[in-house]
Structure formats: structure tokens, C-alpha cells
Amino acid sequence: MNPELYERYLAKKAKKLGISVEELKARGSVSPVSENTPNSEKIVTQSPSQFQSLQDEPKYVQRTIQDQLSSQNSTVQYQQQYSGMQPETVKTEVPSYVFGPTKIEENQNYNSNSINQFVSNSEINDNRENKFGLIGYPLGHSLSKIIHEAGFKSLGVNATYDILETPPDNLVDRIKWLKNNGYKGFNVTIPLKLPISLFVNEVDNYADLARAVNTVYIDADKSLKAYNTDVIGFRRAIPKDIDLRGKKVAILGTGGAAHAACVALTECGVQEIAFFTRNIPNSIDLMNYVRRKFPSVNFNVYQIENIRNLGEYAMLVNTTPIGMLGKSADLMPVEPNALSSLSCNAVVYDVIYNPKKTLLIKAAEKLNLRTITGLDMLIYQAVAAQEIWFGNTPDFKDMKIAALEAF
């Protein structure tokens, strides 16, 4: 456990209740944290038992755009649905993940120093307010506003963040509205992560590889520059002491979250990625794509119902919605016997953040397996978005505390 993060949380909690930190500790709802707990994974919440790897998921865990584009017919439907609807100020250059390959550097890494690769000099004369937001549908339980506002505060930036529910049919009007109302950027969640790519001027390498966009920078000339920070979020959430080089990883699901995880894992140097899905025929497009893009990695796909032994995998990643609050929170994506077949050194990574601990995570903890949940991924992708918008890195800890207090 990170003592600094814990003490900061206690101070905020005590202030909110109007009592001292000592009185809060005396109430027994919290207790001291062990100095031996690794800093990278341990999080803060109401009690020490909950203070163990509470993280959460990226917003795209539900049915994603990648699921909708598992066939050529679906791609054509998107093309027809949005053809002729581009805002007049956009000269759309459709990225490769929509209709075909483009020249792009394979598996390019970028960090906070190179994340602003598209930000042009036009921002020097940009007098707009710092207005940002989230588009997608539905957005009733989004934590994005809370997380981003905490990030703004940590940077000392006067900015606003709006939750803007946007059904697919309203996407074109929403883009026009954002540009005409002085917004500097926005995040994108389901079901708009692929359609938005039809209206941007440039896409970064991760957006191209993951075949989805979740962050957009609006330049002063109103051009749109698109990124995928989900890949960054997934990778940054993996503690540095977890070495996946030359290892095998199992991914449950083949949707958009699985695709982002796949791109991140290739950068971790994995030897093999095995996808487990309900519908193998619908995964053919994904398999062909990843094998072409990442020839140094072995890819296989299996029927998820047939999982029996996971002993060969160093990490199990759940990208399905099974376990999500309000959908299937009382279920696990794998049978307990299959989970128990993991080696004692394996890691279980569930991208779901609500509930804080899914049944899968709880079951893995009972087996004394190391776990990663989705909250860190969610916050890290928001951190990366603000790096794009401002060129500076917000305080991850402040953003996490704000998210935890919102539950």
C-alpha cells in the first residue's frame, strides 16, 4: 500500500466528515497500511481489506464497435450510414481500420514526450476556453467528469468537462456543436469509437492499431486529431515488476477492449496471445489482422466454454462484460476450476471497474493470485488524454482518490 496515497485519502475523508484524521482512525473504518505493500497496485477505499487492488475498467467493456465490425457487411453498413454526413469543415482521411490498410510504422511506442505528435503550432494563437467533454451513449454512470476535473485541479488548469450523451444518429451534429462552441477536445466511448474515425483529419498509431478512437484534440483551425489512450491505460496499469516477456497471455473476449489489450501486450513482449470467445467465426477478421500487424507474436483463438486448463498462461485478462454491475455482476467469465488451474505466479486482470471487485477478482484473490482491476486503466487513459490536451501530466493519485470517493 502506498502510505502517501493512504494518508492523503484519510485527510480528504476526515475533512469531508468534519472530523480529525485521528478521530477517523479511532472510528475503526480505516487502519494503518503496511509499509511492505507494493506501491504500484494497492489502492485506497473505506477499509484496509478493500484497500487491496481496487481499480476499474475502461468504459468500453460493454458491446464495442469492434464487435459490430466483425464482418465486411458491418463495415459497409457503417460506410453507408455515415456517407455524405461529414461536417463541411473536415477533410476526412479514413484510417486503415475502417476500410483498408495505410502506411504506418508497426507497433510504434509513444510516451508523454511524443504523445502530442499531432498538436500543431496553431494553438499558439488559440484564445478558446479549456472546454472538454465525453461523448457516447448511454453515459449515466460515467466517472469521467470526476476523474478529469481532479486532473485539471492537479495541473492548476481552469477547465471544464461535460458529459454529453450522444446517440450514433446525432454524432455529426455533436461534432459540429463541439467545434462551434469552443471545445478543445473530447473523449469518446461506446458506441462511437469507430464511427468517430470517419470525421477526423488524423489518427495516431495506437488508434490505427487498436482500430478505435477514444480521445480527440480539436485544433484551433477546427481540425480533429484522434488518439487511442486505452492502449496506454492498459499497459501503464500493469506494475513494472510484472515481466511478460516471452510469456503466454489469455484474453477473454474479442471486442474493442480485447483489441486494445492485445496491442498493449505486444509491446510487453509476450510470446503468445490466446483469445477465448463464444463465436470463433466472428473472430476471423481479428485474427487475420493481429497476425498481419504483429508477426512476431503467436495468436490463437479458442471456444470460451471449453476452457479447462489455464496453467500455461502468465496472465488472464477479462475484457467481456461478464461481472459488470447491472449486467452480470453475479457471474464469472470462467469456471472456478479453470481459474484454479492458473499457476501461483499468474496475474488476473479484469478491465471492469464497477463493481470495484468483480467475482473473478474476488475468486482470484482467494487463490492468492495477483490481481489488477480496471480503475488504474481507466485513470491512466484519462491521464494520457490530458497529456495530449495540455502537454503536461496530471496527478494520477488525485484522480484515483476522486474516483474512489465517487463510488
Side-chain angles (χ1 to χ4, degrees):
M1 178 72 60
N2 187 328
E4 179 192 352
L5 179 59
Y6 181 71
E7 290 301 325
R8 287 167 65 180
Y9 172 77
L10 291 185
K12 292 190 69 173
K13 182 76 172 178
K15 183 177 180 181
K16 190 174 182 179
L17 296 175
I19 60 176
S20 67
V21 173
E22 290 71 22
E23 184 179 352
L24 179 62
K25 290 180 179 179
R27 290 186 178 186
S29 61
V30 290
S31 66
V33 182
S34 168
E35 292 286 343
N36 296 324
T37 307
N39 292 343
S40 57
E41 281 301 300
K42 311 306 179 185
I43 324 279
V44 190
T45 187
Q46 299 285 344
S47 66
S49 62
Q50 293 175 311
F51 234 76
Q52 301 287 322
S53 75
L54 293 178
Q55 301 142 40
D56 83 341
E57 139 302 345
K59 342 176 227 300
Y60 52 68
V61 176
Q62 304 168 11
R63 188 169 72 95
T64 61
I65 295 167
Q66 178 58 31
D67 295 319
Q68 301 174 36
L69 291 183
S70 57
S71 70
Q72 183 178 358
N73 289 338
S74 298
T75 305
V76 173
Q77 289 173 8
Y78 267 101
Q79 186 179 18
Q80 293 172 344
Q81 179 181 355
Y82 291 99
S83 62
M85 298 174 64
Q86 288 88 348
E88 62 279 358
T89 57
V90 173
K91 296 179 181 179
T92 305
E93 297 177 6
V94 181
S96 66
Y97 54 82
V98 181
F99 303 120
T102 60
K103 286 187 177 180
I104 190 161
E105 221 176 292
E106 299 278 319
N107 206 17
Q108 169 189 335
N109 289 304
Y110 66 63
N111 51 37
S112 357
N113 296 323
S114 57
I115 202 168
N116 293 301
Q117 58 181 300
F118 291 146
V119 179
S120 72
N121 293 329
S122 62
E123 65 179 339
I124 295 175
N125 300 318
D126 192 350
N127 296 319
R128 295 173 297 168
E129 298 177 13
N130 286 317
K131 295 170 63 175
F132 304 90
L134 171 68
I135 66 170
Y137 188 85
L139 300 176
H141 302 289
S142 173
L143 295 175
S144 293
K145 181 178 176 66
I146 294 167
I147 292 171
H148 277 285
E149 287 181 345
F152 297 157
K153 186 176 180 181
S154 74
L155 288 173
V157 173
N158 183 18
T160 60
Y161 193 93
D162 302 314
I163 302 299
L164 305 167
E165 285 204 334
T166 307
D169 290 347
N170 296 341
L171 177 58
V172 174
D173 289 338
R174 176 64 75 190
I175 294 172
K176 291 180 179 179
W177 185 86
L178 288 165
K179 293 197 294 184
N180 293 333
N181 283 273
Y183 280 77
K184 287 187 175 181
F186 56 94
N187 293 122
V188 186
T189 188
I190 57 171
L192 304 178
K193 287 189 174 186
L194 180 59
I196 189 67
S197 64
L198 298 175
F199 308 104
V200 302
N201 301 83
E202 299 174 79
V203 293
D204 82 322
N205 191 58
Y206 280 152
D208 191 86
L209 290 173
R211 306 203 283 187
V213 168
N214 80 317
T215 298
V216 175
Y217 177 88
I218 305 177
D219 213 337
D221 63 2
K222 296 187 179 182
S223 62
L224 302 182
K225 297 163 183 179
Y227 305 77
N228 185 302
T229 64
D230 289 331
V231 176
I232 301 172
F234 183 94
R235 184 173 179 182
R236 288 184 182 177
I238 300 175
K240 293 181 180 179
D241 63 327
I242 294 179
D243 187 358
L244 295 174
R245 287 175 296 180
K247 305 290 181 60
K248 297 180 180 181
V249 175
I251 297 179
L252 306 178
T254 53
H259 211 135
C262 173
V263 175
L265 288 167
T266 63
E267 294 194 341
C268 293
V270 299
Q271 175 189 4
E272 179 179 325
I273 296 177
F275 292 96
F276 291 86
T277 180
R278 289 182 179 180
N279 195 324
I280 291 180
N282 282 352
S283 306
I284 293 175
D285 173 71
L286 172 62
M287 295 303 296
N288 290 338
Y289 178 79
V290 294
R291 284 170 176 162
R292 184 174 68 251
K293 287 289 185 180
F294 311 107
S296 63
V297 180
N298 296 323
F299 293 97
N300 293 292
V301 60
Y302 305 100
Q303 198 77 29
I304 196 168
E305 291 86 357
N306 295 336
I307 295 178
R308 296 292 182 270
N309 193 326
L310 296 169
E312 62 185 307
Y313 301 106
M315 177 180 283
L316 175 67
V317 182
N318 176 42
T319 67
T320 77
I322 298 175
M324 183 185 295
L325 190 67
K327 291 186 173 292
S328 49
D330 57 343
L331 299 176
M332 283 174 49
V334 294
E335 295 294 329
N337 289 341
L339 187 66
S340 63
S341 69
L342 286 166
S343 71
C344 61
N345 297 319
V347 180
V348 176
Y349 191 151
D350 195 335
V351 299
I352 293 175
Y353 73 86
N354 198 2
K356 299 172 187 175
K357 289 188 180 182
T358 61
L359 285 185
L360 176 64
I361 292 296
K362 291 178 180 179
E365 289 178 341
K366 288 181 179 179
L367 294 170
N368 295 317
L369 297 173
R370 193 165 183 181
T371 60
I372 305 172
T373 65
L375 185 56
D376 274 2
M377 177 178 174
L378 177 67
I379 297 173
Y380 274 126
Q381 64 83 24
V383 167
Q386 292 199 18
E387 289 173 343
I388 291 169
W389 295 333
F390 303 117
N392 294 309
T393 302
D395 192 312
F396 172 87
K397 295 175 182 177
D398 284 354
M399 297 166 81
K400 174 173 278 187
I401 289 173
L404 290 169
E405 289 182 335
F407 280 103

